[in-house]
Amino acid sequence: MTSWKLTSHRSLVAAVICLGAAWFFYRQLVLPVQAREKDAQSKIAEFLVQIDSANKELEAMQSLKDRASLGTAELGRLRGEGRDGAVMAWFPMRVQQAFAQAKTALTSVRLNTTLLAFGLPGCERTYWQIVAPCEPARHGIAGVLFAVNEIERQDPFVRLLDFSVKSDPSGTGNGVAEMNFVVLAEQLRSAADSSAK
């Protein structure tokens, strides 16, 4: 019976030693691997947040790039469509044509000022005043409004700023329509500027 107890005691001690060794190896091998795995998962989560942020920035950049290409196309259209020479040459002719088409008289087309177009290199804004009589026999105000509409319809870079009708100071009973337009156009370079390039 003692040998059975001794064998059982030895088996118990061996089992405890094996359990202790297993726990030791578990703490030394498995727990660090689990800690590294947890650390790696948190770093992956951080990287996913950074990737998501970078994707949003790329989408914003693509949106800006698309808007810039639309602006470039519009500027190219501005530089090419029916605008031969300086704005001082083609805009008064375009106004005369619109008023002739409306069968309305035109008193004057006057350039008020020219300013560089902020944010649009190579472009300028010109401000114009147009004066026309509102003669009832020649379609009155309706003819003037038709001509104004035709001027704006022909070119998206021509805008009416203000419109007013005043009584004629000569006392004829007719009115006088005064309009102010702004035109965005390509700034023409002088011969000296173009030879410098």
Side-chain angles (χ1 to χ4, degrees):
M1 191 124 160
T2 26
S3 92
W4 178 80
K5 279 186 175 182
L6 190 58
T7 310
S8 166
H9 185 46
R10 283 185 189 163
S11 297
L12 186 61
V13 169
V16 168
I17 290 173
C18 283
L19 253 153
W23 177 251
F24 176 77
F25 286 118
Y26 177 76
R27 283 187 52 112
Q28 293 300 316
L29 298 176
V30 176
L31 287 180
V33 169
Q34 286 178 340
R36 278 189 242 132
E37 182 182 359
K38 193 175 189 181
D39 185 44
Q41 286 175 346
S42 69
K43 286 183 181 179
I44 288 172
E46 288 176 22
F47 286 140
L48 289 176
V49 168
Q50 290 175 354
I51 288 171
D52 187 45
S53 174
N55 283 338
K56 287 179 183 175
E57 287 181 27
L58 285 173
E59 288 172 6
M61 291 291 284
Q62 185 62 41
S63 172
L64 287 174
K65 187 177 176 183
D66 292 344
R67 285 180 31 208
S69 65
L70 288 175
T72 302
E74 197 66 22
L75 188 58
R77 193 172 74 78
L78 164 70
R79 289 180 172 162
E81 273 187 13
R83 295 176 162 210
D84 296 329
V87 68
M88 284 74 145
W90 62 260
F91 185 70
M93 289 188 332
R94 193 173 286 180
V95 170
Q96 289 172 356
Q97 290 169 353
F99 275 84
Q101 187 178 353
K103 297 183 171 105
T104 303
L106 178 64
T107 305
S108 69
V109 178
R110 183 180 70 158
L111 174 64
N112 284 337
T113 189
T114 300
L115 301 173
L116 291 178
F118 179 73
L120 295 171
C123 293
E124 63 186 6
R125 285 188 173 87
T126 56
Y127 294 86
W128 298 81
Q129 181 186 40
I130 300 171
V131 179
C134 294
E135 301 169 342
R138 298 186 75 175
H139 308 293
I141 193 75
V144 174
L145 291 174
F146 177 79
V148 167
N149 180 58
E150 189 63 22
I151 292 167
E152 277 196 318
R153 186 190 65 75
Q154 287 178 3
D155 194 329
F157 298 100
V158 175
R159 288 286 173 247
L160 177 68
L161 294 176
D162 58 53
F163 183 95
S164 65
V165 178
K166 301 173 183 174
S167 63
D168 188 359
S170 64
T172 61
N174 295 332
V176 175
E178 292 182 359
M179 299 140 269
N180 287 302
F181 282 87
V182 62
V183 179
L184 179 65
E186 182 178 7
Q187 183 181 19
L188 294 181
R189 293 178 179 87
S190 68
D193 289 342
S194 39
S195 66
K197 289 186 178 191

